[in-house]
Amino acid sequence: MPIVYEASTRTFHVQSRNVSYAMRIVKDGYLAHLYWGRKIKPMGLKDPIPTTFRPSFQPNPFPEDERFSLDTLPQEYPGYGTSDFRSPAYQVRLADGTTISEFKYVRHRILPGKPKLKGLPAVYAESEDEAETLEIVLEDAVAKLRLIVRYTAFRDHDAIARSAEIENLGDRPVRVLRLLSASVDFPRADFDAVHLWGSWTRERHIARRALMPGVQAIESRRGASSHQHNPFLAVVSPDATEDQGEVYGFSLVYSGSFLAQAEVDQFASTRVSIGLNPFDFEWLLEAGESLQTPEAVLVYSHEGLGGMSRTYHKLYRTRLCRGVYRDKERPILINNWEATYFDFDEEKLMRIVHAAKELGIELFVLDDGWFGRRNDDKRSLGDWFVNREKLPGGLEGLAAKVNEQGLQFGLWVEPEMISPDSELYRAHPDWCLHVPDRRRTTGRMQLVLDYSRQDVRDAIYEQLAAIFSSVPIAYVKWDMNRNMTEIGSAALPPERQRETAHRYMLGLYELLERITLAFPNILFESCAGGGGRFDPGMLYYMPQTWTSDDTDAIERLKIQYGTSLVYPVSAMGSHVSAVPNHQVHRITSLKTRGHVAMSGNFGYELDLSKLSEEEKAEVREQVAEYKAIRRLVQQGDFYRLLSPFEGNDTAWQFVSEDKSEAYAVFVRTLAVPNGPLTRLRFKGLDPDKTYALRGTDRVYGGDELMYAGLPIPDLEGDFRSVTFRLTEVRA
């Protein structure tokens, strides 16, 4: 059983296949953290929790025991104000105006499987024997509050899912000021922090630095998980590499403003916590009401960052993503955005479709500009009816013509936004997020619809459902192109205004649940100016995300490499675009653009009708090659070989689960005169298997490929690439 409770020591031992997580009830009900790391036997961990005797400036809840202080006790869900001075996991303001609360153990239960989180995305178990869940009930008898902390351990994944729920048992309202998803106290501070940062068109670059005394935090205050920081933080041993060393990962299943931080205290202990950002947040909890946190997924690896990544990849690919496309191969697509932008008509689109058919592409996606008076980005968001001047036959007519050519039809929408110059805004100016008597700041000439309101969500659902029901749509790109300002709702009373941003996310999740269940055969891809909302929360509803608006292959090396720290390749949209690239104006070979884009959900974003015959022949080869390796790329195990953050060369590799097939990509950014003779060493193969290198007559042992490697051929010029495809030689 993955969860064991030892009554004699009041110790909980949460186990997965290779990992243990333990905690203990101490004194009269404090929940203390014991251990998180490589798996140990449940009968271990019998020693008392170490304490530090500090007679000066160390408050003692129990005068008879000066050695006990909450300021040194490693805790599971700490509060503030009753002798712990570190950052708390929760804080409430009671009806009398005070903010002191203290939760103590009351009872617990161990459940088979994993219960759903009401109204929130979360990882799941498909059967009760896949997981066990521990619910520990804590109460503050004075404040009449109940706190339930939940832990789920998985049979097949070395991950622990954590969340918390607070309930008002009294008859007076309280205000929740802070409610994080997880907090872990480590008895050491010799860690590096690893996180993902960036900006629009430069998302999820890897940052690593040593922890210092004090608080080190990453966060979003933007109402979305953001381009700037991803809701993920890892603390790793200083010697941790891609393949070895201890790594502790924290990933938040949430798409709004978040906080992740590590605090090193005076005793060289480290408290890592993650959850909803308490900045500008408050939640009024009436009598009998409860508030549930998003879920944090904790992953431990003693096999370095690569081991952590592969745990997240498999869990998120198979037990976070849902629907018919979870395990299904994703289609190769052509998107018209960078080919036409807003300047298109049906004739121009069909030229692209005809070219796509010749090249073996499977899906045509109509991007922005098909609705209202949308000839630029200044108007018509919210007016989800077709522009008949561009498309006289409507979406139905265009989709029929696309289908006649043997391609599926896909559509771009941006349903969370509204343009001030739109029929919807003129009819409902109060439907956007706004504060009375304040400026309504626009971004990309648009405002944010108030998804905290049920009437707004219902109206958008009806508009979208009418389109999705009448047009044979196979794919939807769901975009969101600005962050929140003037966060307020005309439908909420003054005492609930600071709930708006979180209520927005809950409303968005409700709408996404409703629409994806109503149209289960549509492949939904999320987008937020590219990667501005690439997070586990969105993957629960949409199994892939447009990784970045930057389509340059060399920029994508770092973007896709960094994204892979947490997210599976099956979640990454990656396209070949025209050169000079529209974002950085770099000229890169079609071969290299293809190799990088094929390391994701593959597609094109250029005018195929303008390609030369030589380019068309190369595209045909790319399409055929990707179809041959598609399942391996989208469902295989992913290994990072060479980091673009550490050198001139980048390489990564895909390996099938049975280790019978592998595919590796090597990219050299800049040419090196008289450069070193480079050998690429593979990972994850079976050393006892024999592999044939496709395109040659050579065979190699798995041990040779991993330990000696293969030589990289001469690559002349900048931005060059080569791939290696290996298949097992069976006797």
Side-chain angles (χ1 to χ4, degrees), residues 577-696:
S577 61
V579 293
N581 175 263
H582 291 192
Q583 290 79 47
V584 299
H585 311 291
R586 182 182 282 121
I587 296 177
T588 310
S589 71
L590 182 56
K591 178 181 180 181
T592 296
R593 282 178 278 156
H595 288 163
V596 175
M598 282 192 285
S599 297
N601 294 318
F602 186 46
Y604 292 84
E605 196 153 330
L606 44 74
D607 192 340
L608 296 172
S609 68
K610 294 181 179 179
L611 297 180
S612 67
E613 289 305 315
E614 182 181 0
E615 289 171 326
K616 287 182 179 179
E618 188 165 355
V619 169
R620 283 192 194 92
E621 291 179 5
Q622 290 177 351
V623 169
E625 181 180 1
Y626 188 73
K627 288 178 180 178
I629 63 171
R630 174 163 42 189
R631 176 159 291 277
L632 174 63
V633 168
Q634 295 176 2
Q635 304 291 332
D637 293 331
F638 183 78
Y639 292 84
R640 293 180 291 268
L641 306 181
L642 297 170
S643 171
F645 297 100
E646 298 175 1
N648 190 43
D649 299 336
T650 303
W652 48 56
Q653 175 193 351
F654 307 90
V655 181
S656 61
E657 188 172 359
D658 65 0
K659 302 185 183 300
S660 66
E661 187 179 9
Y663 179 78
V665 178
F666 175 93
V667 181
R668 174 160 292 154
T669 301
L670 297 177
V672 179
N674 260 340
L677 301 176
T678 304
R679 296 183 72 89
L680 184 67
R681 291 195 290 179
F682 292 75
K683 297 178 183 178
L685 303 177
D686 186 334
D688 297 323
K689 290 184 185 293
T690 300
Y691 295 89
L693 178 61
R694 295 290 291 268
T696 75

Side-chain angles (χ1 to χ4, degrees), residues 163-211:
S163 69
E165 181 181 4
I166 192 168
E167 182 181 358
N168 185 356
L169 303 178
D171 55 7
R172 303 174 70 185
V174 300
R175 294 181 183 274
V176 180
L177 308 179
R178 183 185 186 99
L179 196 69
L180 301 185
S181 300
S183 180
V184 177
D185 286 347
F186 295 90
R188 49 183 281 211
D190 56 331
F191 287 119
D192 288 351
V194 178
H195 63 97
L196 302 172
W197 75 288
S199 67
W200 174 66
T201 68
R202 188 170 46 81
E203 299 91 342
R204 288 174 303 286
H205 284 207
I206 298 175
R208 178 170 178 168
R209 65 185 187 274
L211 290 185

Side-chain angles (χ1 to χ4, degrees), residues 62-81:
F62 304 96
E64 71 279 6
D65 186 359
E66 289 187 340
R67 299 191 65 86
F68 183 87
S69 174
L70 295 179
D71 203 32
T72 58
L73 182 72
Q75 297 176 68
E76 281 297 307
Y77 204 76
Y80 175 83

